[in-house]
Amino acid sequence: MSRVLNLSRREMLHGLGAGVLALGFGFPARAQGGAGFGAMIAIAPDGAVHFTCPSSEMGQGTQEALARLIAEELDCDWARMQVLLPWADRAFINPGMGKQMTANSATTVGYFLPLRRAGAAARAMLIQAGAARWGVAADQISTQAGEVIHAASGRRLTYGALAQDAARLPVPGDVALKSPADFRLIGGKSPRKDLAAKVTGRAEFGVDVMRPDMLVGALALAPHPRAKVEAANLAQVKAMSGVVAVVPVDGGYAVLASRFWTAKKAAEALKLTVLSSPTAGVDDKAIDAALIRAFAEKTPLPFPDFDFSTMRPRAGGGDKPAVLAALAAAPRRVEAEYDVPYLAHAAMEPLNCSAILADGQLTLRGPMQSPEDVRALAAKMAGLPLDRVRVEVTFLGGGFGRKWATDFPIPAMQAAMAVPGRWVKLIWTRENDLAMDQFRPAYRVKSVAGIGADGALVAIHSRIAGQSINTYHGRRGFPGMADPTAAGLLIYGCYAPVMKLMEFHEADLAIPVGFWRSVTMSQNAFFAESFIDEVARAAGRDPYAYRRDLLAGEPRIARALDKAAAMIGWDRPKAKGVGRGIALTYNEGHVCAQAVEVRVNKRKLAIRRIVAAFDCGVMVDPAGVESQISGGIIFGLQAALWGGVSFAEGRPAISNFNDVRLPGLADVPPIEVALIPSGAKPGNAGEAGTPPIAPALANAIADAGAGRVRRLPLSQRFELENA
């Protein structure tokens, strides 16, 4: 993306009235759907800048970061800038992903340059309009806080006063961007734009949507979204007081009423008979058996030695005969087997969506990470052209990947189609939300390493067994290559020179699975960084120093590792029962190294400190980045300590937060985050803090002399106590 294009620049004029400047910016043509353009910036007559944020805001601060990009180059009055929520539209695609979706921590990365260019183009048009108004050269004009200034004459005009004139000008094809030395918002501090609305309750989350004469729905669901059920007492429930309709939907029935409590009690009264279910008879023993069979019976698919977590992975390596020969010839071998369980998302706001079918148009409104995909699916299911479907995004009360899925708007749409002309808000209870989650898959890994006579790491072969997220969702991968959501970075490519072989054995399980915060690395950081720790100890080396040697060609990663080691006091003497562990995760856009200090006394585990060193290049909002890393650590800590979903009789054995142990304030140890400045291009931060905490904690426990943890969660072996 190298140009700001003069296309659809008046699309938003009708929204804010006369005298409004609306600016669209262009995206490169893509294979699917062609080029998309849209107006995100509008300047009202009073000078207020309205910015429609193209991504979903679920607490991670995208509204704040993207608004800063626009305001920095536009040079507007930041205090008066208003940020609006988006709707599904190709105008809002993320250029780095080619879609309108908020996932993979790709928001700042994808929009960093396009939004800055859009802001700079708008500023250039305002300067040109001011110069024409005063009859002076444009290079004599400057801007400040939403005003165009001619210093020689002392004249000033607000952006609002010039908006109408500026709107008539062509959008410049090339614009100069500010030097980082001139940034006043990027990298600075200010209260978040969404903070006041959330504190006062004015922010609209999905569950807050209210419309006149709205119906509210509750669900009675099958044990699996693709199960077939029937209700034996359907007529009786339809006749219950206050019930307006009982609608068959995917996975069960939606009961509609004027009040949620009425709908909920009626839904609970439905007596469902399961006719068929893909998970019939599945329990923990069946899952374990499926993983064993996968290793024994499924031909493994190889995965190249590249970094899946980048949007454009770099492939290489994977010579199986050479790796196996190197392992066979190695003077010493290290073998280990690891397990992680299924994990629930458990976002604070349960799934919900509102919808209406009226006058031949279907409108959906709710907390969605992928509105473009929801819109396409809704159009297909309703048999409507795409331009007759509108999908509006509210604030999200947490997502973690769950609200990236498109399953939960479907019942709302189906219910709305059954009562045309009326809004329907379908609220999933916490029990519905957890029972029908798209879980992070359970995985088992078998790793073998060969160590030379000098202790050097020669080769690693790691095999992983579990479900394929891509298979469950019907997405085709590359022929002959393992699903990257299972096998990516199972062995770190940054550790060199080491021969590597990664393979995936796909298990025959039909449990609903989906993306969970940090996707592949949520499990593979634990496997990779635990095993490298074991290899180091088997070689008689310090685990930090061993990693450091393997990172000789990766100065950026090594710098973060060094910082984390220094922060935890790696070389300081330790008392008996005290251990320190270190681990890292990385991709093209970031490096996150974490270290943990623990005290272990038999089954009692006390986490004394957690430190993190983080480098994601240019940071638009450093305070937000620090919060993302701290929050990601706590999210990953919960999974490492208590996470895990058991299954019995084809259903997940969890119902509400009483079955999901969450950390309280007393459970969270001191967390220190060091942000490492670098000149690298902006990278991702939202998921980076989650993966390293589990291996760092397991490595610290081993260092304390309490044995090697190879199975999560840790609550199976330890009881957490305050440090």
Side-chain angles (χ1 to χ4, degrees), residues 101-385:
M101 63 190 311
T102 308
N104 203 44
S105 298
T107 299
T108 301
V109 177
Y111 290 110
F112 185 75
L113 284 178
L115 286 181
R116 288 181 62 200
R117 287 173 176 145
R123 176 177 173 272
M125 294 164 71
L126 290 160
I127 287 175
Q128 189 64 43
R133 179 83 61 94
W134 292 324
V136 300
D139 60 8
Q140 296 179 23
I141 303 293
S142 63
T143 59
Q144 183 179 12
E147 290 186 321
V148 173
I149 304 166
H150 182 235
S153 64
R155 288 176 289 184
R156 293 171 175 260
L157 284 172
T158 67
Y159 282 3
L162 290 167
Q164 188 172 10
D165 290 349
R168 298 190 184 100
L169 299 174
V171 179
D174 294 292
V175 288
L177 301 181
K178 282 186 179 181
S179 164
D182 297 325
F183 287 163
R184 60 183 182 87
L185 291 171
I186 295 176
K189 293 183 178 181
S190 65
R192 274 177 52 162
K193 285 289 183 183
D194 59 349
L195 184 61
K198 290 179 176 178
V199 170
T200 59
R202 290 184 289 108
E204 185 184 58
F205 292 83
V207 293
D208 299 324
V209 174
M210 294 294 293
R211 296 292 185 271
D213 200 31
M214 173 177 265
L215 294 173
V216 185
L219 291 163
L221 294 176
H224 189 283
R226 296 170 186 167
K228 303 299 181 184
V229 297
E230 65 179 9
N233 60 338
L234 197 57
Q236 294 94 317
V237 172
K238 286 182 177 179
M240 290 177 66
S241 176
V243 172
V244 175
V246 180
V247 182
V249 297
D250 283 12
Y253 294 87
V255 180
L256 308 183
S258 59
R259 295 168 58 92
F260 177 69
W261 183 253
T262 302
K264 180 176 182 292
K265 299 308 290 183
E268 291 171 347
L270 277 172
K271 297 178 181 178
L272 300 185
T273 300
V274 179
L275 303 177
S276 64
S277 172
T279 53
V282 170
D283 56 17
D284 289 349
K285 290 184 178 179
I287 293 169
D288 190 65
L291 297 179
I292 293 172
R293 284 197 308 274
F295 276 121
E297 301 173 4
K298 289 299 186 75
T299 301
L301 289 174
F303 191 76
D305 177 17
F306 62 40
D307 186 347
F308 156 71
S309 36
T310 67
M311 293 304 296
R312 296 174 179 83
R314 294 184 298 273
D319 186 337
K320 186 169 184 174
V323 171
L324 296 182
L327 289 171
R332 187 171 182 185
R333 288 161 59 98
V334 181
E335 299 187 27
E337 185 173 307
Y338 303 91
D339 285 271
V340 294
Y342 286 93
L343 292 176
H345 293 82
M348 187 59 67
E349 177 195 24
L351 300 175
N352 65 85
C353 188
S354 299
I356 184 172
L357 177 64
D359 301 323
Q361 175 163 312
L362 178 65
T363 302
L364 293 89
R365 185 170 180 83
M368 289 166 273
Q369 291 181 238
S370 188
E372 184 182 7
D373 285 347
V374 171
R375 185 187 188 201
L377 179 61
K380 181 179 180 180
M381 294 188 67
L384 293 171

Side-chain angles (χ1 to χ4, degrees), residues 16 46 62 79 130 143 178 183 196 203 218 251 256 308 348 452 469 491 538 549 551 577 606 714:
L16 292 171
D46 66 358
T62 58
T143 59
K178 282 186 179 181
F183 287 163
L256 308 183
F308 156 71
M348 187 59 67
I469 294 175
I491 305 169
D549 289 346
L551 291 171
L714 292 166

Side-chain angles (χ1 to χ4, degrees), residues 403-424:
K403 292 167 187 171
W404 174 89
T406 58
D407 61 325
F408 66 93
I410 293 173
M413 179 191 70
Q414 293 170 323
M417 292 174 65
V419 288
R422 296 188 72 174
W423 274 95
V424 174

Side-chain angles (χ1 to χ4, degrees), residues 492-707:
Y492 281 8
C494 64
Y495 293 142
V498 179
M499 300 178 67
K500 307 174 183 72
L501 175 62
M502 295 169 276
E503 294 183 305
F504 174 47
H505 301 254
E506 186 172 346
D508 289 325
L509 288 163
I511 294 170
V513 291
F515 296 141
W516 192 87
R517 190 173 185 175
S518 74
V519 195
T520 306
M521 298 314 297
S522 72
Q523 77 270 353
N524 287 357
F526 173 67
F527 301 141
E529 285 293 85
S530 293
F531 190 55
I532 204 72
D533 222 71
E534 292 205 55
V535 171
R537 293 184 183 279
R541 295 284 307 281
D542 174 83
Y544 157 58
Y546 201 70
R547 286 177 173 83
R548 195 63 177 76
D549 289 346
L550 292 170
L551 291 171
E554 299 284 354
R556 187 181 182 191
I557 299 175
R559 183 168 60 249
L561 188 73
D562 292 343
K563 181 65 175 178
M567 292 168 70
I568 203 68
W570 187 264
D571 294 327
R572 286 202 308 261
K574 303 188 299 283
K576 184 179 180 180
V578 173
R580 299 185 187 117
I582 199 165
L584 64 88
T585 188
Y586 70 98
N587 65 23
E588 190 176 55
H590 78 255
V591 182
C592 186
Q594 294 177 18
V596 179
E597 183 173 282
V598 302
R599 184 185 68 244
V600 185
N601 182 11
K602 297 181 180 179
R603 286 185 53 83
K604 300 288 187 179
L605 169 65
I607 305 173
R608 301 171 68 168
R609 291 177 64 215
I610 299 174
V611 302
F614 184 63
D615 174 2
C616 66
V618 174
M619 301 180 197
V620 179
D621 179 12
V625 170
E626 184 174 350
S627 295
Q628 283 290 289
I629 299 304
S630 296
I633 288 172
I634 296 172
F635 193 82
L637 185 65
Q638 185 277 333
L641 290 171
W642 305 294
V645 177
S646 294
F647 286 79
E649 299 178 355
R651 299 173 183 264
I654 55 174
S655 62
N656 210 311
F657 279 146
N658 59 300
D659 299 319
V660 180
R661 172 77 156 87
L662 297 175
L665 288 175
D667 298 320
V668 179
I671 298 174
E672 180 184 354
V673 178
L675 302 180
I676 301 175
S678 73
K681 62 183 180 180
N684 43 1
E687 299 175 302
T690 296
I693 186 60
L697 188 52
N699 295 339
I701 291 170
D703 188 56

